Structure formats: structure tokens, C-alpha cells
Amino acid sequence: MIVFCGYANIDLTVGVPALPAPGDRVQATAIRHGHGGMAANASAAAARTGADAWFAGVVGPEPRSTAFLAALAADGVRTDWTARTGTLTTAVVLLTPDGERAVISQDDELDARHITRTARAAREAGADWLYLDGYRFPEAAAALAEAAADAPPGTPGPGLVVDLDGCDHAEAMRTALSAADHAVVGRPLAVALLGGEPALVRAAADHDVHLVVTDGARGWTLLTPAGERHDGPAIEVDTVDATGAGDCFTGAYCAELDRGRSPLEAARFAAVAAGLSCTRPGARDGLPDRRAIDSWLAAHPTPETPEPTRTR
């Protein structure tokens, strides 16, 4: 069981010939509405691969939010712990013909109290994993500690997976790393907030976390607490829209951890899922199911695993 606590929103995707510079005026080539949000997308990706996925975000009471939750349920996601006391927010996605994008997001109403309630419920239900997006840190650390303090002695809690791509400063990212068992982050943000490769290696070791650094078409790197480094490729696809590919990676990674796979196996599986997700428009339409991922893996056997690189 995986509980995804974080963003839900409506994506307003605007096709543009090129991303505008300051002061530019461009004509939209297409406008499309769709369901999105980091945590919601990740929960749908996990559910499509067969995971017992629950979404615990905050939406509104209106029909648009009802339809949003119904779409998650259609993918197999349980939404019982989603609060309907807020607003279903909007994200504006500018998308070029070659799949490059820029995103303008809106803050939601998911606060520390909701995180504490969700973490408690996840523990009581025997969930294996709790997902949080990076937007919740550093405040989420105290909320998680409050939930853990209420647990009976010796009661195990779920492992924590954090998508760091919501972090907006170094303190937030370091706090999230300290709380997480596994973390996923895009390389540009990781380098901007933490530094280059030596700093990322140190972060995985110092915070005792499995850190997966994704880098689009250039592939991914898994850094372990023990100082091992594994590099893997992205799959080659004709990219239509990369929106939500990172969410898909994290959701599929969580799903494989929940199946008892190693972090390395989970990262390889997630890379295929993320690549396949880019072949259709929108954050959700391209999310592959397990059959599609397994079919790709069967057609492209993984070479014999080399010994991991020692990073320290």
C-alpha cells in the first residue's frame, strides 16, 4: 500500500511554437485541459502498474473536483483520504512542438495538519510507503515527527519517498533528504540547490537515503547510502509531451519498491515507464500499464549488470 500526499490540479496546456522570452507575444497553437498534479499523477502511474495506491490530497467540493477524483478512481486509485475542503488548483503548461515545456503552478491548501493526519492514517492502515512532494518541506518534517510521536512504541511506520522537484531552496531539500528513505530529483534542480556530483554523493551518504537523480533523455543515476553509484539510460522514444514524466517515474519507482524490488530494479522499471509516458499528450494519457512496461523490457533485455561504481 502506497499513500500519495501532495498536489492535485487541472493542467491548462497551451501549445506554443517556442517558449516565450520576457516581453514576447506568441500565438497559441492549441489549448487543452487535463488532470494533473505531482502526487495525483504519481498515484495514477503506480495504480496502472498494479500497486495499491491511495491519493490523499486536497481538492474542492465542486463538480470539477468530483470528476478529478472519479478519474483517479477509474485508474484504480483510492481517494478516501482526500480532503474536499479546499480548491482544485490550476497549472499552466506551455508546450512546444518538440516537447519542451514550462510550468506555472498554483499553491494548494494542503497544510501540515493534513500531512500529520495522513501519516497517522497510513501508519494505522499498515501502509508500506508514504509519498510527499518537495513543496511540503521543510514544514513537513515537523508534521511527520508529530505523527510518529503518537504511534505506540515499536509500531513501524511507512517508508518515506519524496519527490524533491517541488523544493525551492537548499534548506527544504536537505530537510526532505533527512526525512526520506528514498528521494527522486531532476538533475538541474539538484545541482542548483546542492551542488555537483560530489555534493550529491555526499548527500546520499550523509542523509542515509537512496537518491535517484533523473536527467531526461540523458538517463538517471542512483546514489546509495553505502556510496555506490548506478547509471542507467532513458529509453528512446518519439517525445510528444514530457509533462508528468517525472511524476510517472516516481510513481512507478514507488510501485516497484512496494513489490519488494531493489532500488536499482525499481529505477530501471521507472525509467521505462517515464519514457513511454512521453509518447502521448498530457500528464495522464500516456501513463503506461504494467503490460506495456513489461513488453518493452522483454523486447529490450537489460545487459548484465556491471559492478556499481564506488563513489567514496
Side-chain angles (χ1 to χ4, degrees):
M1 178 181 181
I2 315 164
V3 181
F4 293 84
C5 184
Y7 265 107
N9 57 251
I10 296 296
D11 285 344
L12 172 60
T13 302
V14 181
V16 292
L19 296 181
D24 283 356
R25 181 183 179 90
V26 297
Q27 292 294 112
T29 58
I31 296 177
R32 182 179 70 252
H33 289 83
H35 294 145
M38 291 173 67
N41 292 340
S43 72
R48 289 194 188 184
T49 66
D52 180 12
W54 292 57
F55 175 67
V58 175
V59 297
E62 80 292 343
R64 190 173 70 155
S65 290
T66 300
F68 183 94
L69 296 179
L72 284 177
D75 273 323
V77 179
R78 292 284 297 271
T79 61
D80 309 51
W81 296 343
T82 296
R84 302 200 61 178
T85 55
T87 302
L88 180 59
T89 58
T90 299
V92 179
V93 183
L94 303 181
L95 180 68
T96 67
D98 60 358
E100 187 180 6
R101 72 197 191 285
V103 181
I104 307 165
S105 60
Q106 178 185 11
D107 281 345
D108 64 7
E109 296 169 69
L110 195 159
D111 59 15
R113 286 175 296 179
H114 183 83
I115 294 171
T116 298
R117 288 194 299 269
T118 299
R120 286 172 177 157
R123 180 187 295 270
E124 291 168 2
D128 299 295
W129 298 97
L130 173 65
Y131 160 106
L132 285 173
D133 60 49
Y135 289 99
R136 313 303 153 186
F137 288 88
E139 293 78 11
L144 293 170
E146 181 180 349
D150 294 342
T155 304
L160 182 65
V161 180
V162 180
D163 186 338
L164 298 172
D165 279 341
C167 296
D168 58 5
H169 54 85
E171 179 195 357
M173 187 169 286
R174 293 189 183 280
T175 304
L177 286 168
S178 294
D181 299 288
H182 296 262
V184 181
V185 64
R187 182 170 292 279
L189 182 63
V191 171
L193 296 187
L194 297 179
E197 200 68 21
L200 300 181
V201 170
R202 286 195 303 272
D206 292 347
H207 297 287
D208 193 26
V209 63
H210 285 84
L211 177 61
V212 185
V213 183
T214 62
D215 200 10
R218 287 170 290 278
W220 52 271
T221 298
L222 169 65
L223 301 171
T224 76
E228 296 176 351
R229 170 184 175 139
H230 302 270
D231 293 296
I235 67 171
E236 294 185 10
V237 296
D238 293 326
T239 298
V240 173
D241 185 355
T243 304
D247 306 336
C248 178
F249 186 105
T250 307
Y253 182 80
C254 289
E256 289 304 280
L257 292 179
D258 198 46
R259 285 168 61 88
R261 306 303 189 197
S262 70
L264 178 57
E265 292 170 320
R268 286 173 174 159
F269 183 91
V272 175
L276 295 176
S277 77
C278 297
T279 60
R280 294 183 64 183
R284 299 274 184 87
D285 287 352
L287 295 178
D289 58 19
R290 179 165 293 276
R291 179 178 298 180
I293 301 168
D294 286 344
S295 176
W296 193 97
L297 287 168
H300 304 81
T302 303
E304 184 176 345
T305 304
E307 288 296 316
T309 301
R310 300 296 302 184
T311 57
R312 61 182 177 90

